[in-house]
């Protein structure tokens, strides 16, 4: 049983998660596992129905640095199967729950007082090369078992009770959320879409967050690093947090993804003959694999509230406060801001730098962006006006003029003549939000920023 933190907005107890403010509850399980990396062969497509949707399952393609290809859809326990251990530490501001699935798969669950998320700090590794807890699959000529030196692709999985209808969403480079459907592709793909990789074929890049919902409540998982993710069953979100592979995927690097703490794999090995621990070249060394650590923030709430919260938290998890120290103990107390007034809560100051001032008559590069996408929230996902003279009005950073430029700041926008591409009408998605197509021209000091829009300026200050 996991205890809850009194006064926290979130509660985890009895394999469930509750948002106390919205009074929503769903089941939640957090577990670890790993896929066995393919070394070439046939993928089991027995779970793909009807059979007419099955692509040729056989290929010599190995899993490696560029290719994720498990040899089955089976998720194995990380080590000798056991009941995970639990330790709970409860304080006034935070409750910590330490869970250990094995020596190389652990996480800490944290519930912070007054915060709208649950933190999961995961630690994966060092992933063992051998797999001694499983029966040997190969033997020498005397019948002695050989080590199961298998590649392992380690996942952390969140299983909720939400009926997500095989649909989930991933961010596109931290910006718009893209709808994904299990074993499906968009209308521009050949139809019906045939399945050759039921696991890898449903993995997508996750740079900021991945979500699913049941039409009322949403579970969002925010990441602090880019990783792969998928929803392979209703209500589930899984993330690839670590990999250690014993074969090269023949995509150019000529070595397996088998990074170690000492970084000396395969010294002296001939190209094409690289493998685990450098034995092929007799110049390597036996080292432990890397240990990886990261943080997930879980948001569970009504869809509208979750949409508001997840964007703000994405800024916090990716741009945390900087911790500083002072030797003499005279560090300044309190807070200060170079801005005269706060920016609207849906607008982000992306860039303010004098790095290019010498090339632009002393002007500073200023860049603003909208945090939300069209249709994401009824009030926050709307165009918003920003008065630059009010935001940048303090002495020393008082704006006196600005010229809008291209995104990279290399040309005034007024000098750009966009090329008109010949296009055809693409199949529409009725669930897609309606975009704000009309761009509002900049008239200093007022700039209007539409959802997901980024606008760049060369600005003069005094």
């Amino acid at each position: 049983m996991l205890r809850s933190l009194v006064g926290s907005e979130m509660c985890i107890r009895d394999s469930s998660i509750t948002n106390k403010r919205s009074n929503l509850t769903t089941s939640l399980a957090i577990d670890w596992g790993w896929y066995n990396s393919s070394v070439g062969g046939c993928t089991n497509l027995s779970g793909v129905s009807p059979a007419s949707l099955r692509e040729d399952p056989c290929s010599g393609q190995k899993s490696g640095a560029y290719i994720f290809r498990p040899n089955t859809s089976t998720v194995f326990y990380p080590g000798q199967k056991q009941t995970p251990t639990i330790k709970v530490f409860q304080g006034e501001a935070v409750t910590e729950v330490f869970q250990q699935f094995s020596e190389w798969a652990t996480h800490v669950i944290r519930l912070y007082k007054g915060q709208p998320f649950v933190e999961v700090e995961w630690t994966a590794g060092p992933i063992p090369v051998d797999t001694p807890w499983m029966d040997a699959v190969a033997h020498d000529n005397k019948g002695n078992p050989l080590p199961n030196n298998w590649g392992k692709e380690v996942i952390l999985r969140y299983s909720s009770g939400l009926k997500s209808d095989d649909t989930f969403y991933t961010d596109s480079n931290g910006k718009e959320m893209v709808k994904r459907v299990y074993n499906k592709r968009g209308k521009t793909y050949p139809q019906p879409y045939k399945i050759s990789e039921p696991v890898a074929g449903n993995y997508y890049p996750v740079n900021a967050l991945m979500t699913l919902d049941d039409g009322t409540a949403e579970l969002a998982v925010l990441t602090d690093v880019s990783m792969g993710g998928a929803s392979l069953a209703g209500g589930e979100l899984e993330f690839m947090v670590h990999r250690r592979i014993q074969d090269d995927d023949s995509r150019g690097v000529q070595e397996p993804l088998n990074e170690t703490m000492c970084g000396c794999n395969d010294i002296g090995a001939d190209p094409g003959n690289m493998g685990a621990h450098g034995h092929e070249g007799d110049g390597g060394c036996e080292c432990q694999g890397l240990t990886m650590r990261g943080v997930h923030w879980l948001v569970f709430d009504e869809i509208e509230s979750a949409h508001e919260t997840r964007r703000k938290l994405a800024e916090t998890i990716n741009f945390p406060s900087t911790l500083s120290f002072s030797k003499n103990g005279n560090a300044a107390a309190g807070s200060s801001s170079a801005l005269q007034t706060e920016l609207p809560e849906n607008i982000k100051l992306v860039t303010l730098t004098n790095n290019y001032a010498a090339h632009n008559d002393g002007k500073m590069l200023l860049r603003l962006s909208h945090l939300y996408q069209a249709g994401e929230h009824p009030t926050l996902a709307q165009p918003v006006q920003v008065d630059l003279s009010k935001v940048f009005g303090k002495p020393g950073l008082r704006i006196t003029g600005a010229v809008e430029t291209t995104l990279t700041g290399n040309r005034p926008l007024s000098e750009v003549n966009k090329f008109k591409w010949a296009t055809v009408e693409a199949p529409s998605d009725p669930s897609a939000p309606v975009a704000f197509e009309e761009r509002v021209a900049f008239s200093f000091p007022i700039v209007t920023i539409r959802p997901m829009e980024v606008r760049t300026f060369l600005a003069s200050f005094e």
Side-chain angles (χ1 to χ4, degrees):
M1 178 184 295
L2 302 185
R3 305 175 187 177
S4 63
L5 173 62
V6 177
S8 173
E9 290 188 22
M10 306 301 296
C11 170
I12 291 183
R13 177 189 291 148
D14 297 333
S15 299
S16 67
I17 183 171
T18 298
N19 186 306
K20 292 183 177 180
R21 182 179 51 79
S22 58
N23 199 30
L24 288 175
T25 299
T26 187
S27 60
L28 180 69
I30 306 175
D31 62 284
W32 288 80
W34 59 277
Y35 295 106
N36 189 356
S37 305
S38 176
V39 293
C42 300
T43 302
N44 185 351
L45 299 181
S46 59
V48 177
S49 181
S52 60
L53 294 181
R54 299 173 189 170
E55 190 64 270
D56 181 2
C58 299
S59 169
Q61 179 62 60
K62 300 177 181 180
S63 195
Y66 290 101
I67 301 293
F68 165 45
R69 186 182 184 225
N71 64 1
T72 72
S73 299
T74 302
V75 177
F76 297 98
Y77 190 89
Q80 183 71 41
K81 196 159 189 180
Q82 60 183 358
T83 301
T85 61
I86 296 178
K87 294 181 181 179
V88 180
F89 301 89
Q90 189 159 2
E92 293 184 2
V94 61
T95 290
E96 293 186 327
V97 181
F98 289 74
Q99 288 191 291
Q100 179 171 325
F101 280 66
S102 71
E103 292 183 350
W104 48 280
T106 64
H107 61 259
V108 183
I109 303 170
R110 296 189 179 96
L111 295 98
Y112 296 96
K113 188 173 183 178
Q115 293 298 323
F117 64 89
V118 175
E119 179 177 283
V120 178
E121 182 181 7
W122 53 266
T123 303
I127 302 172
V129 173
D130 193 6
T131 319
W133 59 88
M134 300 181 72
D135 293 337
V137 298
H139 299 77
D140 62 19
N141 54 12
K142 295 182 180 180
N144 299 314
L146 297 174
N148 292 328
N149 290 344
W150 298 340
K152 299 174 180 66
E153 327 237 8
V154 181
I155 66 164
L156 183 58
R157 181 170 55 193
Y158 302 92
S159 303
S160 74
L162 299 182
K163 307 298 182 183
S164 54
D165 194 28
D166 290 337
T167 301
F168 60 109
Y169 300 82
T170 63
D171 70 281
S172 176
N173 287 323
K175 302 296 282 183
E176 286 188 315
M177 300 299 291
V178 181
K179 181 180 179 180
R180 314 293 191 185
V181 182
Y182 177 70
N183 276 349
K184 300 289 185 182
R185 293 294 187 274
K187 295 180 180 180
T188 55
Y189 281 77
Q191 300 294 333
Y193 180 73
K194 293 191 175 182
I195 310 302
S196 60
E197 296 293 336
V199 175
N202 286 289
Y203 259 73
Y204 295 91
V206 179
N207 299 291
L209 70 156
M210 182 164 59
T211 74
L212 54 77
D213 66 77
D214 64 0
T216 301
E218 175 179 284
L219 176 65
V221 180
L222 286 72
T223 70
D224 65 337
V225 295
S226 296
M227 54 185 60
S231 178
L232 303 181
E236 291 185 1
L237 296 173
E238 70 175 55
F239 296 83
M240 182 75 68
V241 296
H242 201 358
R243 309 172 73 208
R244 192 177 186 189
I245 301 172
Q246 303 306 303
D247 282 275
D248 178 33
D249 58 7
S250 301
R251 296 288 162 163
V253 297
Q254 294 187 334
E255 63 179 350
L257 185 63
N258 185 25
E259 296 173 311
T260 61
M261 294 299 293
C262 55
C264 62
N265 278 348
D266 302 310
I267 294 176
D270 294 328
N273 292 315
M274 299 180 179
H277 308 307
H279 292 305
E280 290 79 2
D282 295 325
C285 53
E286 187 76 21
C287 303
Q288 284 192 325
L290 292 183
T291 296
M292 305 299 294
R293 178 171 293 165
V295 170
H296 290 160
W297 284 1
L298 279 59
V299 175
F300 174 65
D301 206 340
E302 297 171 338
I303 291 177
E304 182 178 308
S305 297
H307 284 189
E308 176 182 357
T309 302
R310 68 190 190 185
R311 289 293 187 181
K312 296 176 180 178
L313 288 179
E315 295 299 309
T316 304
I317 195 173
N318 286 293
F319 303 97
S321 300
T322 301
L323 184 64
S324 59
F325 301 88
S326 173
K327 289 183 178 180
N328 55 24
N330 296 325
S335 62
S336 62
S337 174
L339 305 183
Q340 180 171 279
T341 60
E342 290 187 2
L343 284 164
E345 60 180 324
N346 49 2
I347 298 299
K348 175 184 177 180
L349 175 60
V350 180
T351 307
L352 181 60
T353 178
N354 62 358
N355 284 354
Y356 314 102
H359 304 284
N360 293 286
D361 299 323
K363 295 182 177 66
M364 297 175 69
L365 186 68
L366 169 65
R367 187 176 288 118
L368 301 172
S369 71
H370 202 298
L371 290 178
Y372 294 84
Q373 70 183 67
E376 189 171 9
H377 191 274
T379 58
L380 295 173
Q382 297 291 329
V384 58
Q385 280 191 349
V386 179
D387 187 336
L388 298 179
S389 65
K390 292 182 178 179
V391 175
F392 301 100
K394 281 189 174 183
L397 195 65
R398 181 180 290 115
I399 194 167
T400 58
V403 175
E404 187 165 14
T405 69
T406 57
L407 181 64
T408 55
N410 64 343
R411 294 180 66 187
L413 201 61
S414 59
E415 297 180 3
V416 175
N417 294 313
K418 289 188 175 181
F419 183 80
K420 300 294 183 181
W421 294 94
T423 61
V424 295
E425 192 70 23
S428 61
D429 181 356
S431 67
V434 178
F436 295 89
E437 297 287 354
E438 186 175 350
R439 188 174 186 277
V440 181
F442 172 57
S443 178
F444 181 81
I446 304 298
V447 57
T448 300
I449 306 177
R450 299 170 295 170
M452 281 289 114
E453 189 172 29
V454 182
R455 301 187 75 160
T456 306
F457 310 88
L458 287 173
S460 300
F461 293 88
E462 63 177 16

